[in-house]
Amino acid sequence: MKKWKAPLAILAALLWQNSVVSASYAQAFKRPDNNRPAPGQRPQQPQPRPQPRPENPRPQPQPRPQPRPENPRPQPQPQPRPQPKPENPRPQPQPQPRPQPKPENPRPQPQPRPQPRPENPRPKPRPQPRPPVVVRPQPGHPGQPGTRPSLPKPQPIERHMDPRQGGSFQRPTVGPDRRPISQRPWEGRNGRVIPPSRDHITIINHTTVINNIRDIHNRWDRNDRGYYWHNWNGHHVSHHYDGAYFWWGFYVGDHYFWTRYWNDSYWWYDPYWHRWCYMRENQWWWQDPARPTIIFIYRDGSYYQYGNTVGGVVLNPDPTPPVEAPPADPEPAPAPAPETKSFYSADGTRIVQVFGENKDAFLYDAAETPAFEPEWLDSGGTDVRFKLDEEGSLTTIMTLKDDGGFSLFDKDGSPLNIVPASSPVEEGAVDSTVGASLGESKLFGSLQTGSVAW
């Protein structure tokens, strides 16, 4: 009996504990007592007890955030997929800068001091053949006049020779000794008809010859159509009256030439341009009857329009083609460049020729034997002026340029670096764009301040 007393005590304690727990559960869920099965009834399967929902459920603890690493590894960014390039993309217009308003009264900026001419400028262009010499210096030192020459000045005439009356007539076939004439007509090397040369002009323009011609005209019988010979200053001279004009033939050396003497001038007929040229101041001139104020000078088979410039004259080639082509020259001279201008100093010693697209200016010596080769002066030339001293000798050459500037040279072509003196300009003194551009001109500043006097 004592052997089972201890296990029974333990079993009773467990049963008591089970009853206490069951009572506590019943108390907690307030389960009614009638749910218990009646004695003798089969107990029903226990249903799971619903868990009471807490009124204020305790929030679940959130996981503690992990600290961010100091230098996280950057994640690669996805690259955009390249789009196909169009075959002919349309160019996008470039934005233009917005123009700034121009001030009403801009203050002229000071001009920079001209820099000396570089020792090796751009390659010099090749010069053209020397232009025709209008007047040559007298014998003396090369390039220097023995006596002061002067350029001829054209004198307009009121009475013109009719160009329809050509220069052909029946010339004599026998000389004063009744023998056939052995002299040949005065012509060029290619058989071209040319006017009397400079040496011939010296002979026919002698005072004795002119006085004799005038005397014969005054007392001549207009019905006489014969040929008559004279010996003046050692030269045979023949004359003939054709009923309207007097013809005079001069037989000098191996050649002869005939001219008309009318209106107190010698006349020579150009058979290629069909023009009557008259002689004044030892030169041959042609005055356009339709434009009497325009006069051309004939030199070396060409006509040049004659104009004036400061300290000299300027010649522009006449582009009019001949009516009849002259004989071909076996060694033709190079044709002049387009828009060629030749400027002559008033003392006749220097020629400046401007030609070509770049308007290159070259200096030439006008002496019979030039003292120097053609000297390149400048490019962009539009006009040339010459300065003479009190004795009429050339001292300075000025070339005006198409950019508004100018260059100065001595008579031999050496550049003169003259810095124009700047005149003070008060603020607001220039009240127009025209005045501002004039004030900024180097040429205007030089002429205004007296740095260069012309």
Side-chain angles (χ1 to χ4, degrees):
M1 190 63 180
K2 293 180 180 179
K3 181 178 181 181
W4 297 96
K5 184 179 289 190
L8 289 176
I10 294 172
L11 179 61
L14 295 173
L15 292 175
W16 181 82
Q17 183 178 1
N18 187 20
S19 63
V20 173
V21 172
S22 301
S24 64
Y25 274 105
Q27 185 66 25
F29 294 98
K30 297 181 181 182
R31 188 174 182 178
D33 293 341
N34 56 5
N35 288 336
R36 294 182 178 179
Q41 293 183 352
R42 189 177 180 179
Q44 296 180 358
Q45 296 293 332
Q47 299 294 329
R49 293 180 180 181
Q51 298 295 330
R53 186 175 182 180
E55 296 179 2
N56 296 319
R58 185 177 182 180
Q60 298 295 326
Q62 298 295 328
R64 186 175 182 180
Q66 298 297 326
R68 189 174 183 181
E70 296 181 0
N71 295 321
R73 185 177 182 182
Q75 297 295 328
Q77 299 294 331
Q79 297 295 330
R81 187 175 181 181
Q83 299 295 329
K85 188 176 181 180
E87 297 180 359
N88 295 320
R90 185 176 182 180
Q92 299 295 329
Q94 297 294 332
Q96 299 294 331
R98 186 175 182 180
Q100 299 296 328
K102 191 174 182 179
E104 296 181 0
N105 296 321
R107 185 175 182 179
Q109 299 295 327
Q111 295 294 325
R113 185 173 182 178
Q115 300 296 325
R117 190 173 183 181
E119 297 181 1
N120 296 319
R122 69 175 181 87
K124 297 181 180 180
R126 298 182 60 184
Q128 289 200 129
R130 185 174 62 170
V133 177
V134 177
V135 59
R136 297 185 185 275
Q138 299 299 322
H141 297 288
Q144 300 295 331
T147 58
R148 185 173 62 188
S150 61
L151 291 176
K153 296 180 181 180
Q155 299 178 4
I157 58 177
E158 297 180 358
R159 301 174 62 188
H160 299 269
M161 190 78 69
D162 190 351
R164 294 173 298 180
Q165 297 180 359
S168 61
F169 77 103
Q170 184 65 37
R171 295 177 175 85
T173 57
V174 295
D177 55 0
R178 300 299 178 179
R179 294 181 180 180
I181 295 176
S182 60
Q183 289 96 328
R184 301 186 306 274
W186 174 250
E187 297 176 343
R189 61 181 179 179
N190 56 339
R192 176 172 179 165
V193 178
I194 57 177
S197 66
R198 183 180 58 175
D199 295 336
H200 294 155
I201 292 177
T202 303
I203 297 174
I204 66 177
N205 213 26
H206 194 275
T207 304
T208 301
V209 176
I210 296 296
N211 292 336
N212 291 337
I213 290 177
R214 291 174 178 171
D215 180 66
I216 293 176
H217 284 196
N218 291 333
R219 57 183 179 84
W220 189 256
D221 182 3
R222 296 298 191 267
N223 296 321
D224 192 345
R225 303 291 192 270
Y227 293 86
Y228 296 87
W229 290 88
H230 313 276
N231 192 314
W232 295 336
N233 297 333
H235 303 287
H236 292 292
V237 180
S238 178
H239 84 276
H240 168 72
Y241 180 71
D242 63 2
Y245 301 99
F246 282 94
W247 290 86
W248 291 90
F250 296 84
Y251 292 74
V252 180
D254 297 333
H255 300 88
Y256 69 86
F257 57 88
W258 282 78
T259 67
R260 283 181 180 178
Y261 194 89
W262 177 77
N263 197 20
D264 206 22
S265 296
Y266 287 107
W267 294 78
W268 170 78
Y269 183 74
D270 186 344
Y272 310 113
W273 272 267
H274 294 185
R275 295 173 175 176
W276 277 104
C277 301
Y278 63 95
M279 193 187 71
R280 289 287 174 86
E281 297 192 14
N282 299 333
Q283 305 291 332
W284 294 100
W285 307 87
W286 177 71
Q287 181 175 330
D288 189 354
R291 299 175 296 173
T293 59
I294 299 179
I295 300 178
F296 297 82
I297 187 172
Y298 181 91
R299 295 294 297 180
D300 298 342
S302 300
Y303 291 87
Y304 299 86
Q305 184 176 344
Y306 202 91
N308 294 321
T309 186
V310 177
V313 299
V314 56
L315 303 184
N316 296 322
D318 181 15
T320 305
V323 179
E324 299 181 14
D329 193 340
E331 298 179 0
E339 301 181 0
T340 300
K341 293 182 179 181
S342 300
F343 299 85
Y344 297 76
S345 61
D347 64 350
T349 61
R350 296 292 185 266
I351 307 172
V352 177
Q353 185 172 229
V354 180
F355 63 91
E357 296 180 357
N358 296 327
K359 300 178 181 179
D360 296 303
F362 275 85
L363 177 66
Y364 301 81
D365 184 14
E368 185 76 26
T369 302
F372 56 86
E373 295 295 326
E375 180 70 20
W376 176 74
L377 300 180
D378 211 341
S379 296
T382 58
D383 194 6
V384 179
R385 299 180 180 181
F386 303 96
K387 183 180 180 181
L388 308 177
D389 59 13
E390 296 179 355
E391 298 180 355
S393 299
L394 177 65
T395 60
T396 312
I397 302 172
M398 172 188 286
T399 58
L400 305 183
K401 306 179 67 175
D402 51 9
D403 60 357
F406 67 94
S407 300
L408 297 177
F409 307 88
D410 64 11
K411 61 184 181 62
D412 295 325
S414 300
L416 302 176
N417 294 323
I418 297 180
V419 180
S422 59
S423 57
V425 180
E426 298 181 359
E427 184 176 359
V430 180
D431 56 356
S432 67
T433 57
V434 176
S437 61
L438 182 61
E440 295 174 0
S441 172
K442 295 183 292 184
L443 177 59
F444 176 77
S446 301
L447 299 178
Q448 186 182 37
T449 58
S451 298
V452 181
W454 294 85

